[in-house]
Amino acid sequence: AQRVTQPEKLLSVFKGAPVELKCNYSYSGSPELFWYVQYSRQRLQLLLRHISRESIKGFTADLNKGETSFHLKKPFAQEEDSAMYYCALRGQGGSEKLVFGKGTKLTVNP
Amino acid sequence: DAGVTQSPTHLIKTRGQQVTLRCSPISGHKSVSWYQQVLGQGPQFIFQYYEKEERGRGNFPDRFSARQFPNYSSELNVNALLLGDSALYLCASSFDTNQPQHFGDGTRLSIL
């Protein structure tokens, strides 16, 4: 079964502090992992996908197959990073179905 | 550049009624997926269509159905509405099966 777990429902940090949003997954194969972000009053938008191995808005995420994790990190949080973050998994085999975690609400305090 | 558009934005129905939600994908995108997002949860997959054929179906009852038209737009139909169907319904489109999905703003469905 495909499952994505985001253990933290809420995460609060101060501006300039490092931030890590945790994501663990369960999938018997090689999945594709994504991070989606939803800013206040905006639509869900793609932040990162693991196969791109890029940094967006200072965020990075590395797929750790041994620990089945895809944690999202940023060394210095900014107030504009405050948003809802969802980790999602897409299995292989032709289906585009995304399996989402429940999300983590990040608040960056001034 | 227009993104994924969904209509209506809000809808109020009563139990037992039927509802149709509409989605227009990004121009050139051939795949449309539907998700249900209940308050406090992540989106949950309902249907996926690619080139007008159903490619996947989530764990939802037969009251839920969908279709994709030749212009790649899509409709989601829900019959015999229940209170538990109250949710945000999201549509996402992508160019093909290997590309990321782009989401619309959703339709907020409230069942009284």
Side-chain angles (χ1 to χ4, degrees), chain A residues 34 36 38 42-44 46 49 86 90 94-98 100-102, chain B residues 4 31 35 37 41-43 45 48 55 94 96-101 103 105:
Chain A
F34 303 84
Y36 279 83
Q38 188 167 31
Q42 294 187 27
R43 63 182 58 185
L44 198 61
L46 178 67
R49 57 190 301 204
Y86 294 96
R90 180 166 72 190
S95 171
E96 281 189 63
K97 164 187 167 182
L98 287 172
F100 284 86
K102 293 184 178 181
Chain B
V4 176
S31 177
Y35 294 82
Q37 187 174 19
Q41 303 289 320
F45 174 74
Q48 175 202 110
R55 290 286 298 269
S94 61
D96 62 26
T97 57
N98 294 322
Q99 297 304 310
Q101 296 184 17
F103 285 81
D105 288 326

PDB file of all heavy atoms in Angstrom, chain A residues 34 36 38 42-44 46 49 86 90 94-98 100-102, chain B residues 4 31 35 37 41-43 45 48 55 94 96-101 103 105:
ATOM      1  N   PHE A  34       7.253  14.274  -4.180  1.00  0.00           N
ATOM      2  CA  PHE A  34       7.018  15.697  -4.431  1.00  0.00           C
ATOM      3  C   PHE A  34       6.767  16.428  -3.111  1.00  0.00           C
ATOM      4  O   PHE A  34       6.302  15.842  -2.142  1.00  0.00           O
ATOM      5  CB  PHE A  34       5.759  15.896  -5.298  1.00  0.00           C
ATOM      6  CG  PHE A  34       5.779  15.194  -6.621  1.00  0.00           C
ATOM      7  CD1 PHE A  34       5.398  13.863  -6.729  1.00  0.00           C
ATOM      8  CD2 PHE A  34       6.140  15.868  -7.768  1.00  0.00           C
ATOM      9  CE1 PHE A  34       5.393  13.216  -7.948  1.00  0.00           C
ATOM     10  CE2 PHE A  34       6.128  15.230  -9.004  1.00  0.00           C
ATOM     11  CZ  PHE A  34       5.759  13.901  -9.091  1.00  0.00           C
ATOM     12  N   TYR A  36       4.464  19.802  -2.282  1.00  0.00           N
ATOM     13  CA  TYR A  36       3.556  20.844  -2.737  1.00  0.00           C
ATOM     14  C   TYR A  36       3.386  21.849  -1.603  1.00  0.00           C
ATOM     15  O   TYR A  36       3.438  21.489  -0.419  1.00  0.00           O
ATOM     16  CB  TYR A  36       2.192  20.261  -3.107  1.00  0.00           C
ATOM     17  CG  TYR A  36       2.133  19.647  -4.488  1.00  0.00           C
ATOM     18  CD1 TYR A  36       2.565  18.346  -4.713  1.00  0.00           C
ATOM     19  CD2 TYR A  36       1.640  20.374  -5.568  1.00  0.00           C
ATOM     20  CE1 TYR A  36       2.510  17.784  -5.986  1.00  0.00           C
ATOM     21  CE2 TYR A  36       1.582  19.818  -6.842  1.00  0.00           C
ATOM     22  CZ  TYR A  36       2.018  18.528  -7.036  1.00  0.00           C
ATOM     23  OH  TYR A  36       1.959  17.982  -8.298  1.00  0.00           O
ATOM     24  N   GLN A  38       1.008  25.335  -0.221  1.00  0.00           N
ATOM     25  CA  GLN A  38      -0.198  26.145  -0.383  1.00  0.00           C
ATOM     26  C   GLN A  38      -0.085  27.367   0.513  1.00  0.00           C
ATOM     27  O   GLN A  38      -0.187  27.247   1.747  1.00  0.00           O
ATOM     28  CB  GLN A  38      -1.446  25.355  -0.051  1.00  0.00           C
ATOM     29  CG  GLN A  38      -2.740  26.102  -0.393  1.00  0.00           C
ATOM     30  CD  GLN A  38      -3.946  25.191  -0.350  1.00  0.00           C
ATOM     31  OE1 GLN A  38      -3.997  24.238   0.409  1.00  0.00           O
ATOM     32  NE2 GLN A  38      -4.945  25.508  -1.166  1.00  0.00           N
ATOM     33  N   GLN A  42      -4.114  30.850  -1.739  1.00  0.00           N
ATOM     34  CA  GLN A  42      -3.597  30.492  -3.063  1.00  0.00           C
ATOM     35  C   GLN A  42      -3.820  29.006  -3.319  1.00  0.00           C
ATOM     36  O   GLN A  42      -4.119  28.240  -2.415  1.00  0.00           O
ATOM     37  CB  GLN A  42      -2.111  30.825  -3.178  1.00  0.00           C
ATOM     38  CG  GLN A  42      -1.812  32.311  -3.127  1.00  0.00           C
ATOM     39  CD  GLN A  42      -0.357  32.615  -3.409  1.00  0.00           C
ATOM     40  OE1 GLN A  42       0.325  31.847  -4.105  1.00  0.00           O
ATOM     41  NE2 GLN A  42       0.130  33.726  -2.882  1.00  0.00           N
ATOM     42  N   ARG A  43      -3.673  28.608  -4.560  1.00  0.00           N
ATOM     43  CA  ARG A  43      -3.858  27.226  -4.903  1.00  0.00           C
ATOM     44  C   ARG A  43      -2.631  26.394  -4.555  1.00  0.00           C
ATOM     45  O   ARG A  43      -1.541  26.923  -4.353  1.00  0.00           O
ATOM     46  CB  ARG A  43      -4.170  27.090  -6.406  1.00  0.00           C
ATOM     47  CG  ARG A  43      -3.066  27.556  -7.337  1.00  0.00           C
ATOM     48  CD  ARG A  43      -3.470  27.434  -8.787  1.00  0.00           C
ATOM     49  NE  ARG A  43      -4.687  28.194  -9.097  1.00  0.00           N
ATOM     50  CZ  ARG A  43      -5.293  28.174 -10.281  1.00  0.00           C
ATOM     51  NH1 ARG A  43      -4.805  27.434 -11.261  1.00  0.00           N
ATOM     52  NH2 ARG A  43      -6.382  28.877 -10.494  1.00  0.00           N
ATOM     53  N   LEU A  44      -2.852  25.101  -4.492  1.00  0.00           N
ATOM     54  CA  LEU A  44      -1.765  24.167  -4.254  1.00  0.00           C
ATOM     55  C   LEU A  44      -0.790  24.234  -5.431  1.00  0.00           C
ATOM     56  O   LEU A  44      -1.199  24.178  -6.591  1.00  0.00           O
ATOM     57  CB  LEU A  44      -2.375  22.767  -4.138  1.00  0.00           C
ATOM     58  CG  LEU A  44      -1.582  21.641  -3.507  1.00  0.00           C
ATOM     59  CD1 LEU A  44      -1.241  21.962  -2.062  1.00  0.00           C
ATOM     60  CD2 LEU A  44      -2.400  20.354  -3.576  1.00  0.00           C
ATOM     61  N   LEU A  46       3.296  23.128  -6.985  1.00  0.00           N
ATOM     62  CA  LEU A  46       4.456  22.267  -6.847  1.00  0.00           C
ATOM     63  C   LEU A  46       5.654  23.080  -6.364  1.00  0.00           C
ATOM     64  O   LEU A  46       5.963  24.142  -6.907  1.00  0.00           O
ATOM     65  CB  LEU A  46       4.776  21.621  -8.192  1.00  0.00           C
ATOM     66  CG  LEU A  46       6.009  20.724  -8.228  1.00  0.00           C
ATOM     67  CD1 LEU A  46       5.791  19.478  -7.373  1.00  0.00           C
ATOM     68  CD2 LEU A  46       6.338  20.319  -9.669  1.00  0.00           C
ATOM     69  N   ARG A  49      10.316  18.362  -6.863  1.00  0.00           N
ATOM     70  CA  ARG A  49      10.161  16.938  -7.170  1.00  0.00           C
ATOM     71  C   ARG A  49      11.564  16.332  -7.078  1.00  0.00           C
ATOM     72  O   ARG A  49      12.546  16.973  -7.468  1.00  0.00           O
ATOM     73  CB  ARG A  49       9.543  16.701  -8.536  1.00  0.00           C
ATOM     74  CG  ARG A  49      10.287  17.317  -9.693  1.00  0.00           C
ATOM     75  CD  ARG A  49       9.531  17.276 -10.996  1.00  0.00           C
ATOM     76  NE  ARG A  49       9.171  15.954 -11.470  1.00  0.00           N
ATOM     77  CZ  ARG A  49       8.930  15.655 -12.743  1.00  0.00           C
ATOM     78  NH1 ARG A  49       9.030  16.587 -13.660  1.00  0.00           N
ATOM     79  NH2 ARG A  49       8.574  14.444 -13.100  1.00  0.00           N
ATOM     80  N   TYR A  86       2.635  19.988   1.783  1.00  0.00           N
ATOM     81  CA  TYR A  86       2.196  18.615   1.607  1.00  0.00           C
ATOM     82  C   TYR A  86       3.273  17.817   0.886  1.00  0.00           C
ATOM     83  O   TYR A  86       3.782  18.235  -0.160  1.00  0.00           O
ATOM     84  CB  TYR A  86       0.909  18.548   0.773  1.00  0.00           C
ATOM     85  CG  TYR A  86      -0.304  19.147   1.431  1.00  0.00           C
ATOM     86  CD1 TYR A  86      -0.679  20.452   1.161  1.00  0.00           C
ATOM     87  CD2 TYR A  86      -1.085  18.402   2.315  1.00  0.00           C
ATOM     88  CE1 TYR A  86      -1.799  21.017   1.751  1.00  0.00           C
ATOM     89  CE2 TYR A  86      -2.208  18.953   2.913  1.00  0.00           C
ATOM     90  CZ  TYR A  86      -2.557  20.254   2.626  1.00  0.00           C
ATOM     91  OH  TYR A  86      -3.664  20.805   3.217  1.00  0.00           O
ATOM     92  N   ARG A  90       4.108   9.467  -5.921  1.00  0.00           N
ATOM     93  CA  ARG A  90       3.507   8.901  -7.127  1.00  0.00           C
ATOM     94  C   ARG A  90       4.231   7.603  -7.436  1.00  0.00           C
ATOM     95  O   ARG A  90       5.457   7.593  -7.578  1.00  0.00           O
ATOM     96  CB  ARG A  90       3.611   9.859  -8.304  1.00  0.00           C
ATOM     97  CG  ARG A  90       2.987   9.302  -9.588  1.00  0.00           C
ATOM     98  CD  ARG A  90       2.802  10.392 -10.618  1.00  0.00           C
ATOM     99  NE  ARG A  90       4.062  10.847 -11.199  1.00  0.00           N
ATOM    100  CZ  ARG A  90       4.159  11.932 -11.975  1.00  0.00           C
ATOM    101  NH1 ARG A  90       3.095  12.652 -12.234  1.00  0.00           N
ATOM    102  NH2 ARG A  90       5.327  12.279 -12.474  1.00  0.00           N
ATOM    103  N   GLY A  94       2.555   3.832 -14.670  1.00  0.00           N
ATOM    104  CA  GLY A  94       1.625   4.497 -15.573  1.00  0.00           C
ATOM    105  C   GLY A  94       0.558   5.316 -14.899  1.00  0.00           C
ATOM    106  O   GLY A  94      -0.091   6.115 -15.545  1.00  0.00           O
ATOM    107  N   SER A  95       0.323   5.132 -13.615  1.00  0.00           N
ATOM    108  CA  SER A  95      -0.722   5.913 -12.960  1.00  0.00           C
ATOM    109  C   SER A  95      -0.156   7.231 -12.472  1.00  0.00           C
ATOM    110  O   SER A  95       0.920   7.266 -11.894  1.00  0.00           O
ATOM    111  CB  SER A  95      -1.294   5.137 -11.774  1.00  0.00           C
ATOM    112  OG  SER A  95      -2.151   5.966 -11.009  1.00  0.00           O
ATOM    113  N   GLU A  96      -0.905   8.285 -12.702  1.00  0.00           N
ATOM    114  CA  GLU A  96      -0.477   9.585 -12.230  1.00  0.00           C
ATOM    115  C   GLU A  96      -0.957   9.880 -10.828  1.00  0.00           C
ATOM    116  O   GLU A  96      -0.702  10.933 -10.300  1.00  0.00           O
ATOM    117  CB  GLU A  96      -1.055  10.678 -13.131  1.00  0.00           C
ATOM    118  CG  GLU A  96      -0.336  10.871 -14.432  1.00  0.00           C
ATOM    119  CD  GLU A  96      -0.866  12.092 -15.118  1.00  0.00           C
ATOM    120  OE1 GLU A  96      -0.727  13.193 -14.575  1.00  0.00           O
ATOM    121  OE2 GLU A  96      -1.449  11.930 -16.181  1.00  0.00           O
ATOM    122  N   LYS A  97      -1.635   8.942 -10.235  1.00  0.00           N
ATOM    123  CA  LYS A  97      -2.230   9.158  -8.918  1.00  0.00           C
ATOM    124  C   LYS A  97      -1.194   9.643  -7.921  1.00  0.00           C
ATOM    125  O   LYS A  97      -0.118   9.059  -7.782  1.00  0.00           O
ATOM    126  CB  LYS A  97      -2.840   7.839  -8.455  1.00  0.00           C
ATOM    127  CG  LYS A  97      -3.173   7.743  -6.996  1.00  0.00           C
ATOM    128  CD  LYS A  97      -3.614   6.323  -6.674  1.00  0.00           C
ATOM    129  CE  LYS A  97      -3.658   6.066  -5.183  1.00  0.00           C
ATOM    130  NZ  LYS A  97      -4.047   4.685  -4.895  1.00  0.00           N
ATOM    131  N   LEU A  98      -1.531  10.728  -7.231  1.00  0.00           N
ATOM    132  CA  LEU A  98      -0.692  11.233  -6.150  1.00  0.00           C
ATOM    133  C   LEU A  98      -1.303  10.822  -4.819  1.00  0.00           C
ATOM    134  O   LEU A  98      -2.508  10.957  -4.610  1.00  0.00           O
ATOM    135  CB  LEU A  98      -0.593  12.750  -6.209  1.00  0.00           C
ATOM    136  CG  LEU A  98       0.265  13.366  -7.321  1.00  0.00           C
ATOM    137  CD1 LEU A  98       0.086  14.871  -7.327  1.00  0.00           C
ATOM    138  CD2 LEU A  98       1.720  12.996  -7.147  1.00  0.00           C
ATOM    139  N   PHE A 100      -1.106  11.847  -0.966  1.00  0.00           N
ATOM    140  CA  PHE A 100      -0.654  12.971  -0.159  1.00  0.00           C
ATOM    141  C   PHE A 100      -0.589  12.608   1.319  1.00  0.00           C
ATOM    142  O   PHE A 100      -1.374  11.797   1.817  1.00  0.00           O
ATOM    143  CB  PHE A 100      -1.612  14.155  -0.308  1.00  0.00           C
ATOM    144  CG  PHE A 100      -1.483  14.911  -1.595  1.00  0.00           C
ATOM    145  CD1 PHE A 100      -2.172  14.497  -2.717  1.00  0.00           C
ATOM    146  CD2 PHE A 100      -0.678  16.039  -1.673  1.00  0.00           C
ATOM    147  CE1 PHE A 100      -2.065  15.189  -3.914  1.00  0.00           C
ATOM    148  CE2 PHE A 100      -0.567  16.744  -2.861  1.00  0.00           C
ATOM    149  CZ  PHE A 100      -1.264  16.312  -3.988  1.00  0.00           C
ATOM    150  N   GLY A 101       0.328  13.287   2.013  1.00  0.00           N
ATOM    151  CA  GLY A 101       0.285  13.273   3.463  1.00  0.00           C
ATOM    152  C   GLY A 101      -0.761  14.263   3.945  1.00  0.00           C
ATOM    153  O   GLY A 101      -1.389  14.961   3.141  1.00  0.00           O
ATOM    154  N   LYS A 102      -0.914  14.333   5.268  1.00  0.00           N
ATOM    155  CA  LYS A 102      -1.937  15.214   5.816  1.00  0.00           C
ATOM    156  C   LYS A 102      -1.502  16.674   5.878  1.00  0.00           C
ATOM    157  O   LYS A 102      -2.320  17.547   6.144  1.00  0.00           O
ATOM    158  CB  LYS A 102      -2.343  14.730   7.208  1.00  0.00           C
ATOM    159  CG  LYS A 102      -3.072  13.394   7.183  1.00  0.00           C
ATOM    160  CD  LYS A 102      -3.553  13.004   8.569  1.00  0.00           C
ATOM    161  CE  LYS A 102      -4.319  11.691   8.506  1.00  0.00           C
ATOM    162  NZ  LYS A 102      -4.830  11.282   9.839  1.00  0.00           N
TER     163      LYS A 102
ATOM    164  N   VAL B   4      -5.249  25.872 -14.405  1.00  0.00           N
ATOM    165  CA  VAL B   4      -6.412  25.001 -14.338  1.00  0.00           C
ATOM    166  C   VAL B   4      -7.583  25.804 -13.763  1.00  0.00           C
ATOM    167  O   VAL B   4      -7.430  26.467 -12.736  1.00  0.00           O
ATOM    168  CB  VAL B   4      -6.123  23.781 -13.442  1.00  0.00           C
ATOM    169  CG1 VAL B   4      -7.372  22.916 -13.301  1.00  0.00           C
ATOM    170  CG2 VAL B   4      -4.954  22.982 -14.008  1.00  0.00           C
ATOM    171  N   SER B  31      -4.151  15.163 -19.496  1.00  0.00           N
ATOM    172  CA  SER B  31      -4.540  14.364 -18.346  1.00  0.00           C
ATOM    173  C   SER B  31      -5.193  15.233 -17.285  1.00  0.00           C
ATOM    174  O   SER B  31      -4.725  16.340 -16.997  1.00  0.00           O
ATOM    175  CB  SER B  31      -3.308  13.677 -17.754  1.00  0.00           C
ATOM    176  OG  SER B  31      -3.670  12.952 -16.598  1.00  0.00           O
ATOM    177  N   TYR B  35      -9.406  15.183  -7.036  1.00  0.00           N
ATOM    178  CA  TYR B  35      -9.083  14.872  -5.660  1.00  0.00           C
ATOM    179  C   TYR B  35     -10.149  15.476  -4.747  1.00  0.00           C
ATOM    180  O   TYR B  35     -10.717  16.527  -5.047  1.00  0.00           O
ATOM    181  CB  TYR B  35      -7.722  15.455  -5.260  1.00  0.00           C
ATOM    182  CG  TYR B  35      -6.550  14.835  -5.986  1.00  0.00           C
ATOM    183  CD1 TYR B  35      -6.192  15.261  -7.270  1.00  0.00           C
ATOM    184  CD2 TYR B  35      -5.799  13.815  -5.398  1.00  0.00           C
ATOM    185  CE1 TYR B  35      -5.127  14.694  -7.936  1.00  0.00           C
ATOM    186  CE2 TYR B  35      -4.727  13.244  -6.063  1.00  0.00           C
ATOM    187  CZ  TYR B  35      -4.402  13.683  -7.324  1.00  0.00           C
ATOM    188  OH  TYR B  35      -3.338  13.108  -7.980  1.00  0.00           O
ATOM    189  N   GLN B  37     -10.555  16.924  -0.874  1.00  0.00           N
ATOM    190  CA  GLN B  37      -9.804  17.341   0.307  1.00  0.00           C
ATOM    191  C   GLN B  37     -10.765  17.727   1.421  1.00  0.00           C
ATOM    192  O   GLN B  37     -11.436  18.764   1.350  1.00  0.00           O
ATOM    193  CB  GLN B  37      -8.864  18.503  -0.012  1.00  0.00           C
ATOM    194  CG  GLN B  37      -7.952  18.846   1.155  1.00  0.00           C
ATOM    195  CD  GLN B  37      -6.918  19.894   0.807  1.00  0.00           C
ATOM    196  OE1 GLN B  37      -7.044  20.635  -0.156  1.00  0.00           O
ATOM    197  NE2 GLN B  37      -5.844  19.931   1.588  1.00  0.00           N
ATOM    198  N   GLN B  41      -7.121  17.418   6.166  1.00  0.00           N
ATOM    199  CA  GLN B  41      -6.495  16.267   5.517  1.00  0.00           C
ATOM    200  C   GLN B  41      -5.830  16.694   4.213  1.00  0.00           C
ATOM    201  O   GLN B  41      -6.129  17.755   3.665  1.00  0.00           O
ATOM    202  CB  GLN B  41      -7.547  15.197   5.201  1.00  0.00           C
ATOM    203  CG  GLN B  41      -8.327  14.708   6.407  1.00  0.00           C
ATOM    204  CD  GLN B  41      -7.485  13.865   7.331  1.00  0.00           C
ATOM    205  OE1 GLN B  41      -6.681  13.054   6.904  1.00  0.00           O
ATOM    206  NE2 GLN B  41      -7.654  14.073   8.638  1.00  0.00           N
ATOM    207  N   GLY B  42      -4.949  15.850   3.712  1.00  0.00           N
ATOM    208  CA  GLY B  42      -4.395  16.078   2.394  1.00  0.00           C
ATOM    209  C   GLY B  42      -5.376  15.641   1.322  1.00  0.00           C
ATOM    210  O   GLY B  42      -6.329  14.917   1.603  1.00  0.00           O
ATOM    211  N   PRO B  43      -5.170  16.082   0.084  1.00  0.00           N
ATOM    212  CA  PRO B  43      -6.049  15.656  -1.009  1.00  0.00           C
ATOM    213  C   PRO B  43      -6.043  14.137  -1.173  1.00  0.00           C
ATOM    214  O   PRO B  43      -5.001  13.498  -1.023  1.00  0.00           O
ATOM    215  CB  PRO B  43      -5.445  16.346  -2.230  1.00  0.00           C
ATOM    216  CG  PRO B  43      -4.682  17.515  -1.681  1.00  0.00           C
ATOM    217  CD  PRO B  43      -4.144  17.044  -0.371  1.00  0.00           C
ATOM    218  N   PHE B  45      -7.123  11.003  -3.804  1.00  0.00           N
ATOM    219  CA  PHE B  45      -7.366  10.733  -5.213  1.00  0.00           C
ATOM    220  C   PHE B  45      -8.735  10.118  -5.463  1.00  0.00           C
ATOM    221  O   PHE B  45      -9.131   9.176  -4.771  1.00  0.00           O
ATOM    222  CB  PHE B  45      -6.273   9.788  -5.723  1.00  0.00           C
ATOM    223  CG  PHE B  45      -6.460   9.288  -7.128  1.00  0.00           C
ATOM    224  CD1 PHE B  45      -6.232  10.121  -8.205  1.00  0.00           C
ATOM    225  CD2 PHE B  45      -6.857   7.987  -7.363  1.00  0.00           C
ATOM    226  CE1 PHE B  45      -6.396   9.657  -9.500  1.00  0.00           C
ATOM    227  CE2 PHE B  45      -7.020   7.516  -8.652  1.00  0.00           C
ATOM    228  CZ  PHE B  45      -6.791   8.351  -9.719  1.00  0.00           C
ATOM    229  N   GLN B  48      -8.634   9.595 -12.395  1.00  0.00           N
ATOM    230  CA  GLN B  48      -7.656  10.123 -13.334  1.00  0.00           C
ATOM    231  C   GLN B  48      -8.116   9.771 -14.736  1.00  0.00           C
ATOM    232  O   GLN B  48      -8.497   8.643 -15.012  1.00  0.00           O
ATOM    233  CB  GLN B  48      -6.284   9.513 -13.092  1.00  0.00           C
ATOM    234  CG  GLN B  48      -5.246   9.911 -14.102  1.00  0.00           C
ATOM    235  CD  GLN B  48      -4.112   8.897 -14.147  1.00  0.00           C
ATOM    236  OE1 GLN B  48      -3.968   8.164 -15.119  1.00  0.00           O
ATOM    237  NE2 GLN B  48      -3.352   8.831 -13.088  1.00  0.00           N
ATOM    238  N   ARG B  55      -7.969   6.223 -16.312  1.00  0.00           N
ATOM    239  CA  ARG B  55      -6.695   5.552 -16.059  1.00  0.00           C
ATOM    240  C   ARG B  55      -6.560   5.082 -14.605  1.00  0.00           C
ATOM    241  O   ARG B  55      -5.688   4.289 -14.290  1.00  0.00           O
ATOM    242  CB  ARG B  55      -5.533   6.498 -16.379  1.00  0.00           C
ATOM    243  CG  ARG B  55      -5.351   6.785 -17.840  1.00  0.00           C
ATOM    244  CD  ARG B  55      -4.746   5.590 -18.534  1.00  0.00           C
ATOM    245  NE  ARG B  55      -3.425   5.282 -17.999  1.00  0.00           N
ATOM    246  CZ  ARG B  55      -2.302   5.776 -18.492  1.00  0.00           C
ATOM    247  NH1 ARG B  55      -2.327   6.591 -19.505  1.00  0.00           N
ATOM    248  NH2 ARG B  55      -1.138   5.430 -17.964  1.00  0.00           N
ATOM    249  N   SER B  94      -2.023  17.622 -16.200  1.00  0.00           N
ATOM    250  CA  SER B  94      -0.625  17.485 -16.572  1.00  0.00           C
ATOM    251  C   SER B  94      -0.555  17.143 -18.052  1.00  0.00           C
ATOM    252  O   SER B  94      -1.529  16.664 -18.638  1.00  0.00           O
ATOM    253  CB  SER B  94       0.076  16.418 -15.735  1.00  0.00           C
ATOM    254  OG  SER B  94      -0.518  15.163 -15.934  1.00  0.00           O
ATOM    255  N   ASP B  96       1.460  14.909 -19.645  1.00  0.00           N
ATOM    256  CA  ASP B  96       1.400  13.467 -19.824  1.00  0.00           C
ATOM    257  C   ASP B  96       1.707  12.790 -18.495  1.00  0.00           C
ATOM    258  O   ASP B  96       1.805  13.451 -17.468  1.00  0.00           O
ATOM    259  CB  ASP B  96       2.345  12.997 -20.942  1.00  0.00           C
ATOM    260  CG  ASP B  96       3.801  13.308 -20.649  1.00  0.00           C
ATOM    261  OD1 ASP B  96       4.163  13.417 -19.455  1.00  0.00           O
ATOM    262  OD2 ASP B  96       4.584  13.456 -21.597  1.00  0.00           O
ATOM    263  N   THR B  97       1.881  11.485 -18.516  1.00  0.00           N
ATOM    264  CA  THR B  97       1.982  10.735 -17.264  1.00  0.00           C
ATOM    265  C   THR B  97       3.277  10.988 -16.518  1.00  0.00           C
ATOM    266  O   THR B  97       3.390  10.669 -15.346  1.00  0.00           O
ATOM    267  CB  THR B  97       1.855   9.227 -17.525  1.00  0.00           C
ATOM    268  OG1 THR B  97       2.854   8.835 -18.460  1.00  0.00           O
ATOM    269  CG2 THR B  97       0.479   8.885 -18.085  1.00  0.00           C
ATOM    270  N   ASN B  98       4.269  11.571 -17.166  1.00  0.00           N
ATOM    271  CA  ASN B  98       5.553  11.777 -16.502  1.00  0.00           C
ATOM    272  C   ASN B  98       5.754  13.186 -15.980  1.00  0.00           C
ATOM    273  O   ASN B  98       6.797  13.493 -15.407  1.00  0.00           O
ATOM    274  CB  ASN B  98       6.700  11.456 -17.472  1.00  0.00           C
ATOM    275  CG  ASN B  98       6.731   9.992 -17.837  1.00  0.00           C
ATOM    276  OD1 ASN B  98       6.480   9.139 -17.003  1.00  0.00           O
ATOM    277  ND2 ASN B  98       7.017   9.702 -19.093  1.00  0.00           N
ATOM    278  N   GLN B  99       4.780  14.028 -16.182  1.00  0.00           N
ATOM    279  CA  GLN B  99       4.915  15.422 -15.793  1.00  0.00           C
ATOM    280  C   GLN B  99       4.159  15.716 -14.502  1.00  0.00           C
ATOM    281  O   GLN B  99       3.179  15.049 -14.179  1.00  0.00           O
ATOM    282  CB  GLN B  99       4.403  16.330 -16.917  1.00  0.00           C
ATOM    283  CG  GLN B  99       5.193  16.207 -18.204  1.00  0.00           C
ATOM    284  CD  GLN B  99       6.672  16.460 -17.996  1.00  0.00           C
ATOM    285  OE1 GLN B  99       7.058  17.461 -17.396  1.00  0.00           O
ATOM    286  NE2 GLN B  99       7.502  15.542 -18.466  1.00  0.00           N
ATOM    287  N   PRO B 100       4.611  16.727 -13.749  1.00  0.00           N
ATOM    288  CA  PRO B 100       3.926  17.063 -12.491  1.00  0.00           C
ATOM    289  C   PRO B 100       2.502  17.563 -12.738  1.00  0.00           C
ATOM    290  O   PRO B 100       2.198  18.083 -13.812  1.00  0.00           O
ATOM    291  CB  PRO B 100       4.789  18.185 -11.911  1.00  0.00           C
ATOM    292  CG  PRO B 100       6.095  18.071 -12.589  1.00  0.00           C
ATOM    293  CD  PRO B 100       5.801  17.533 -13.960  1.00  0.00           C
ATOM    294  N   GLN B 101       1.661  17.413 -11.740  1.00  0.00           N
ATOM    295  CA  GLN B 101       0.285  17.875 -11.824  1.00  0.00           C
ATOM    296  C   GLN B 101       0.172  19.313 -11.339  1.00  0.00           C
ATOM    297  O   GLN B 101       0.810  19.708 -10.369  1.00  0.00           O
ATOM    298  CB  GLN B 101      -0.607  16.960 -10.991  1.00  0.00           C
ATOM    299  CG  GLN B 101      -0.635  15.540 -11.517  1.00  0.00           C
ATOM    300  CD  GLN B 101      -1.593  14.655 -10.759  1.00  0.00           C
ATOM    301  OE1 GLN B 101      -2.463  15.122 -10.037  1.00  0.00           O
ATOM    302  NE2 GLN B 101      -1.441  13.355 -10.921  1.00  0.00           N
ATOM    303  N   PHE B 103      -2.594  22.168 -10.080  1.00  0.00           N
ATOM    304  CA  PHE B 103      -3.907  22.164  -9.452  1.00  0.00           C
ATOM    305  C   PHE B 103      -4.689  23.452  -9.699  1.00  0.00           C
ATOM    306  O   PHE B 103      -4.102  24.538  -9.841  1.00  0.00           O
ATOM    307  CB  PHE B 103      -3.767  21.959  -7.942  1.00  0.00           C
ATOM    308  CG  PHE B 103      -3.449  20.545  -7.559  1.00  0.00           C
ATOM    309  CD1 PHE B 103      -2.151  20.064  -7.636  1.00  0.00           C
ATOM    310  CD2 PHE B 103      -4.454  19.682  -7.146  1.00  0.00           C
ATOM    311  CE1 PHE B 103      -1.854  18.748  -7.303  1.00  0.00           C
ATOM    312  CE2 PHE B 103      -4.167  18.367  -6.809  1.00  0.00           C
ATOM    313  CZ  PHE B 103      -2.871  17.901  -6.892  1.00  0.00           C
ATOM    314  N   ASP B 105      -8.038  25.943  -8.232  1.00  0.00           N
ATOM    315  CA  ASP B 105      -8.393  26.498  -6.925  1.00  0.00           C
ATOM    316  C   ASP B 105      -9.401  25.628  -6.179  1.00  0.00           C
ATOM    317  O   ASP B 105      -9.567  25.772  -4.972  1.00  0.00           O
ATOM    318  CB  ASP B 105      -8.966  27.901  -7.076  1.00  0.00           C
ATOM    319  CG  ASP B 105      -7.902  28.914  -7.451  1.00  0.00           C
ATOM    320  OD1 ASP B 105      -6.753  28.760  -6.993  1.00  0.00           O
ATOM    321  OD2 ASP B 105      -8.210  29.851  -8.213  1.00  0.00           O
TER     322      ASP B 105
END
